[in-house]
Amino acid sequence: MNTTPILRLTDVSKSFGSLSVLSGVSFDAPRGSLTAVLGPSGQGKTTLLRLIAGFERVGDGRIEIDGEVVGSSSVHVRPDRRGIGIVPQEGALFPHLDVADNIGFGLPRKSQHRIDELIDLVGLSDMGSRRPSEISGGQQQRVALARALAPSPHLVLLDEPFSALDAGLRAGIRDEVIGILRAASTTTLLVTHDQEEAMSIADHVVVLLGGMVAQQGSPTDIYERPASVEVARFIGDANLLTAHADGSSVTHVLGRQASDIVAGTATVLIRPEQLSVSSDGVPGLVERRAYYGHDGTIGVRLENGEVVSVRVSVAELAPVGARVHVIMRGQATVFAG
Amino acid sequence: MTSARGSSWRSKLPAPLIIPAVLAALASLVPLAYLVDVAFDRGAGFLWDELWQRRTLDLVVRSGFLAACVTVASVVIAVPLAWSVMRSDLRGRRVWRVALALPLAIPSYLAAFAWISWESSFAGFWGAFLVLTAVSYPYVYLPLTAAFGRLDQSLDEIATIHGKGSVPRLIVLAARQCRGTITAGSLLVALYVLSDFGAVATMRYDAFTWVIYGAYRAGFNPSRAAVLAVVLVMIALVLVAAEAVARGRAVSTMTSRAVARPRPIRLRSLAIWFHAAIVIVVGLAVLFPLWRILAWVSDHGVEDGVGDVAAALWGSVRYSLVAACITVLVALPIGLLVARYRSRTSLLLDRATYVTHALPGIVVAISMVFIGVRFFRPVYLESPFLVLAYVALFLPVAVGGVRSSAEQIPLGLDDVARSLGSGPMAVIRRVNLPLIAPGIASATALVTLAAMKELPVTMLLRPTGTETLATRLWTHTSVSDYAAAGPYALAIIIFVAIPTAIATSQR
């Protein structure tokens, strides 16, 4: 089996004028995988995608597709010769073409057979002659996907493809689109700011903060073993408590655990689901409560003044002002400083 | 976002576009360059003497005074009326909104004909002032209705809560928020007045265009005509540049967020005054000319015969249609480059066509005459030369049409097409051209109509023996043969003004 990654970025940097947008970005997207580039808005995600697609020139570093350098400070393969499919945020269907012609746009010869195949693949049979304005947002997104897949690209780039959809439809269409990509074993790069989306569907997550790769790994790795406080804060709900380290262990308000972190002040990360209310433990006062239907969270001010978020069952959802005791399960993640 | 800035591939202009675009832009600057050359024909000393002559300075003052008066009057008319049809509960405001824009479709010489044929003592400043105000206030009114429509109503509400909600105060409040739009519109009015030939010529007011025409007609002094034309162009360029700056500011102060549809302000007893003002303005600017023209035609019949009118109509249509098609074809590469590509060259192209925008018809006309006499003897006063002059004159209109429709295509569509394997020219052929086809059609229609009502270029460069509606109307009016002019005026209303009104109202 060919193990060359479909996409490999090595130390890719880009700046616009004096504004540095990306610096030293490196990661691989293995053949057939779904990689998510995750980061808040304005941290270089879109620029990264545009560099890979060839819409922008690489400032420094190297982009390889299937082992061939397509972008570096000296090489720039035109976007129309990269064999990359792209599904933009709003679909960006050609408004003057019907669904079938949109899908067939990138085919060298207009092959009706291939178009029909893709229309069926995305479940839009008998909609081939509709105009983009005559179909729903979700259907437009599926046409955009079929259009990107038609020329059998090496790689498909998804640029926040679900964020323009209604919250109610998003999950359904997302699962459908990902299902189609998985079934076709297409290598996919998804750019998103939605950490839940990235964590739930990607094989590999690249966290982009401030134009740099803050961490990359499997969703579990990133959630359970965040590389920095910033990553921890960005991915999921995080309780960050101050702690004291003595070189062999750390002590914080909820307990003590072994750690070889340098002596001095430290920070520990405890996820809300690692905490629970109990008859004994660290006492505190409920300051806020949020009810989610299936469960809820309470914010508890502990005896040392720090406030932690605790995930609780509906039955345990204590009222504001109630006195509770909080205990911790498992290990906290420890950061120096 | 990043995509708004456009991709880096947009800074590399495709040769099949850049070559015709640059050639067209350069060619459109030739009349201006040649005009300067003629102005220097007798040396810089002559130019200097001509410039500082008493009569030249008088001319600047007279034209400037007319432009200033018309501009002030236009603002005075446009601001309250635009406010009343956009922000108040005036009954029938939707109909008034359209009616107040109609004068834009009436050629100035046609309105001038209506007034002077009714009362010859209108000739001179007052006639020119009245006619030019009537036909040019829409340049302030139209952009202002758009700007008022986008204003946030919460300011009105705050003003009302603080007891400052009287109608005049609310008008001033709205106008102050739209200062940039009013300034840009005012400069367009001033530019229109300085460039206009038909009204000042019919009213015999010694403004720039009329004096330039006189100097050219007199024949013995082409250099003086050229010197005056250069001065006029200089003034026009200043106005055009100022307008671009003002418009830029007006756009940048506009809120981009969606604003709730404003609740109309109640006019109560004031409504009658607004109705009266609108009736007077529409009456003077639209109904009166229509009534006069119909009166001439019904009183005197069609003196020249239907055949002559039909021949003149054919003359107008033929050259205008050919010229419009060529103009739009020439404008396409420029419009596409300016709208879809970002580079120094496309910026320069944009500026170049903007400069030609400042050239008044009479200036284009006499510079084309100079060029024709010197270099194009064989085709001078033949139809190709007239068509060429129209192309030079209306290129900015066509570029504007192509550009504005090309700018509406999201840049993301081009990117997607590129990633699907299309090269830059294929993107233009497969994505851009199909999407701007309606824009191309409407630009062609607008240029055709503009050429049909054009007067100075047509008059000076029409092939010997050819008559158009505009030249016929002008010839008869200039010898006070109003009965004979009537049918041509009516034909212009039917075949030019009404289609123009329809075409512009659909925008």
Side-chain angles (χ1 to χ4, degrees):
Chain A
M1 191 183 152
N2 188 346
T3 54
T4 321
I6 285 290
L7 175 69
R8 165 165 282 172
L9 275 75
T10 315
D11 271 335
V12 171
S13 301
K14 175 73 179 173
S15 42
F16 294 107
S18 60
L19 180 75
S20 165
V21 182
L22 293 170
S23 46
V25 173
S26 304
F27 66 85
D28 286 355
R31 201 169 291 271
S33 69
L34 199 167
T35 302
V37 173
L38 173 64
S41 316
Q43 308 272 323
K45 296 190 308 282
T46 303
T47 303
L48 181 64
L49 189 130
R50 296 174 65 78
L51 287 176
I52 297 168
F55 301 146
E56 306 284 354
R57 281 173 169 277
V58 171
D60 214 352
R62 203 166 65 241
I63 296 176
E64 288 158 81
I65 292 173
D66 208 4
E68 186 203 344
V69 177
V70 295
S72 72
S73 51
S74 54
V75 178
H76 180 77
V77 175
R78 286 166 38 167
D80 42 316
R81 297 187 182 152
R82 290 198 178 189
I84 290 180
I86 184 162
V87 181
Q89 206 165 82
E90 314 260 342
L93 298 184
F94 301 116
H96 59 298
L97 300 177
D98 63 20
V99 166
D101 287 342
N102 261 286
I103 295 175
F105 191 93
L107 295 172
R109 285 169 310 282
K110 202 186 151 185
S111 150
Q112 196 55 50
H113 174 71
R114 178 73 177 142
I115 293 172
D116 290 340
E117 199 176 284
L118 281 151
I119 289 184
D120 289 343
L121 180 71
V122 296
L124 292 172
S125 319
D126 66 70
M127 287 207 183
S129 55
R130 298 263 189 105
R131 290 282 166 148
S133 56
E134 296 166 345
I135 59 177
S136 72
Q139 288 167 338
Q140 288 180 22
Q141 215 53 274
R142 282 186 275 167
V143 175
L145 176 69
R147 180 181 63 181
L149 288 174
S152 311
H154 298 295
L155 172 70
V156 170
L157 304 176
L158 305 176
D159 183 9
E160 306 254 7
F162 312 112
S163 60
L165 300 173
D166 286 342
L169 296 169
R170 197 177 302 155
I173 290 166
R174 181 173 72 202
D175 292 346
E176 221 172 299
V177 164
I178 299 305
I180 293 165
L181 287 163
R182 292 257 188 227
S185 7
T186 311
T187 312
T188 307
L189 189 73
L190 167 75
V191 158
T192 181
H193 67 273
D194 182 340
Q195 43 109 352
E196 227 174 274
E197 180 169 295
M199 304 298 272
S200 62
I201 61 181
D203 307 317
H204 188 71
V205 176
V206 177
V207 181
L208 203 61
L209 294 176
M212 286 186 269
V213 175
Q215 187 174 1
Q216 52 179 313
S218 70
T220 329
D221 274 348
I222 286 172
Y223 188 78
E224 290 178 0
R225 286 174 291 282
S228 66
V229 174
E230 288 72 33
V231 175
R233 202 176 276 146
F234 180 59
I235 310 288
D237 298 326
N239 292 308
L240 292 161
L241 304 179
T242 50
H244 181 76
D246 61 12
S248 60
S249 69
V250 289
T251 315
H252 51 87
V253 62
L254 288 166
R256 177 193 182 101
Q257 67 188 66
S259 165
D260 53 2
I261 203 136
V262 284
T265 313
T267 304
V268 292
L269 160 72
I270 304 165
R271 297 289 182 188
E273 59 272 15
Q274 284 182 274
L275 299 178
S276 54
V277 292
S278 151
S279 52
D280 57 353
V282 181
L285 203 62
V286 176
E287 274 198 344
R288 55 184 158 77
R289 70 197 282 277
Y291 173 64
Y292 301 133
H294 42 84
D295 58 7
T297 59
I298 51 176
V300 181
R301 183 172 294 277
L302 300 175
E303 54 186 4
N304 72 340
E306 285 182 308
V307 180
V308 290
S309 179
V310 182
R311 189 168 291 274
V312 293
S313 70
V314 174
E316 293 167 325
L317 205 54
V320 171
R323 296 198 160 275
V324 292
H325 294 267
V326 178
I327 56 165
M328 186 187 117
R329 286 186 308 273
Q331 297 282 302
T333 310
V334 185
F335 304 103
Chain B
M1 280 305 296
T2 327
S3 54
R5 185 167 44 224
S7 309
S8 67
W9 63 265
R10 286 183 198 289
S11 56
K12 216 170 132 193
L13 314 184
L17 284 187
I18 187 89
I19 292 165
V22 168
L23 287 179
L26 286 178
S28 73
L29 291 175
V30 166
L32 183 59
Y34 196 65
L35 194 65
V36 174
D37 187 51
V38 174
F40 277 99
D41 240 10
R42 295 208 215 156
F46 170 80
L47 185 129
W48 194 252
D49 291 346
E50 279 291 317
L51 223 49
W52 293 106
Q53 272 189 30
R54 181 64 196 259
R55 52 181 182 155
T56 308
L57 297 180
D58 280 351
L59 184 56
V60 173
V61 171
R62 265 197 311 277
S63 286
F65 182 66
L66 179 65
C69 290
V70 172
T71 306
V72 170
S74 296
V75 171
V76 168
I77 291 171
V79 171
L81 296 189
W83 182 87
S84 73
V85 297
M86 294 308 292
R87 310 284 293 178
S88 82
D89 66 344
L90 196 70
R91 278 173 74 99
R93 55 185 180 275
R94 282 191 188 79
V95 176
W96 285 141
R97 207 178 285 167
V98 177
L100 281 168
L102 288 178
L104 206 57
I106 296 179
S108 65
Y109 56 83
L110 191 85
F113 155 77
W115 287 97
I116 203 159
S117 66
W118 183 57
E119 177 54 67
S120 58
S121 64
F122 270 118
F125 174 80
W126 289 107
F129 168 73
L130 180 73
V131 167
L132 286 170
T133 305
V135 297
S136 62
Y137 79 83
Y139 288 108
V140 185
Y141 167 82
L142 272 179
L144 203 49
T145 52
F148 279 168
R150 286 191 296 254
L151 273 191
D152 198 333
Q153 66 159 341
S154 57
L155 279 173
D156 285 350
E157 287 164 357
I158 292 165
T160 311
I161 289 165
H162 289 284
K164 296 187 174 163
S166 70
V167 166
R169 280 190 159 174
L170 290 178
I171 294 177
V172 171
L173 180 70
R176 284 174 62 176
Q177 292 176 73
C178 299
R179 270 189 308 243
T181 308
I182 296 174
T183 310
S186 305
L187 291 163
L188 279 182
V189 170
L191 185 65
Y192 182 93
V193 173
L194 286 177
S195 313
D196 175 71
F197 174 78
V200 293
T202 308
M203 293 297 179
R204 315 270 164 195
Y205 182 71
D206 280 342
F208 257 111
T209 52
W210 181 230
V211 172
I212 291 171
Y213 178 68
Y216 158 79
R217 269 279 107 134
F220 54 85
N221 203 348
S223 299
R224 174 157 171 80
V227 169
L228 293 179
V230 168
V231 175
L232 177 57
V233 168
M234 292 302 165
I235 300 173
L237 281 177
V238 171
L239 289 175
V240 164
E243 193 266 343
V245 172
R247 193 158 38 110
R249 292 216 181 114
V251 170
S252 65
T253 54
M254 208 55 81
T255 51
S256 59
R257 69 202 160 96
V259 175
R261 184 168 285 278
R263 191 174 327 130
I265 308 284
R266 293 226 198 121
L267 291 177
R268 301 178 215 271
S269 60
L270 283 175
I272 184 77
W273 296 103
F274 283 99
H275 282 299
I278 293 172
V279 167
I280 291 172
V281 169
V282 174
L284 291 179
V286 181
L287 300 179
F288 177 82
L290 283 182
W291 169 63
R292 285 311 308 157
I293 288 160
L294 290 174
W296 277 109
V297 175
S298 67
D299 287 357
H300 300 273
V302 184
E303 212 171 80
D304 263 7
V306 176
D308 285 345
V309 178
L313 176 63
W314 173 233
S316 295
V317 172
R318 189 163 45 145
Y319 296 115
S320 304
L321 202 59
V322 172
C325 294
I326 296 175
T327 311
V328 172
L329 213 60
V330 173
L332 261 180
I334 303 181
L336 282 171
L337 280 182
V338 172
R340 310 302 287 176
Y341 285 83
R342 299 271 170 268
S343 83
R344 207 164 291 164
T345 315
S346 60
L347 211 68
L348 273 176
L349 284 171
D350 187 36
R351 299 273 156 83
T353 47
Y354 218 78
V355 167
T356 56
H357 178 74
L359 296 182
I362 188 74
V363 173
V364 172
I366 64 161
S367 44
M368 290 300 281
V369 167
F370 292 148
I371 293 172
V373 170
R374 193 172 296 177
F375 303 111
F376 291 93
R377 274 287 182 191
V379 289
Y380 174 56
L381 296 193
E382 297 282 343
S383 43
F385 205 66
L386 175 63
V387 168
L388 196 64
Y390 280 151
V391 173
L393 187 61
F394 295 119
L395 188 62
V397 178
V399 169
V402 170
R403 179 194 171 161
S404 65
S405 65
E407 274 171 349
Q408 280 163 19
I409 309 172
L411 294 175
L413 286 189
D414 292 13
D415 286 343
V416 171
R418 288 302 304 268
S419 76
L420 288 166
S422 298
M425 287 312 289
V427 170
I428 286 182
R429 182 171 49 81
R430 298 180 66 192
V431 180
N432 296 354
L433 284 180
L435 286 172
I436 63 169
I440 292 176
S442 94
T444 312
L446 278 179
V447 174
T448 306
L449 293 167
M452 281 177 75
K453 66 181 179 192
E454 202 287 330
L455 184 58
V457 165
T458 319
M459 208 162 62
L460 266 58
L461 292 171
R462 69 194 145 134
T464 321
T466 300
E467 291 288 354
T468 72
L469 294 175
T471 58
R472 281 285 200 179
L473 173 61
W474 161 257
T475 330
H476 289 308
T477 310
S478 63
V479 295
S480 305
D481 187 358
Y482 304 129
Y488 297 102
L490 184 64
I492 289 174
I493 291 285
I494 295 170
F495 296 108
V496 184
I498 292 175
T500 306
I502 293 169
T504 44
S505 70
Q506 279 176 343
R507 280 219 170 162

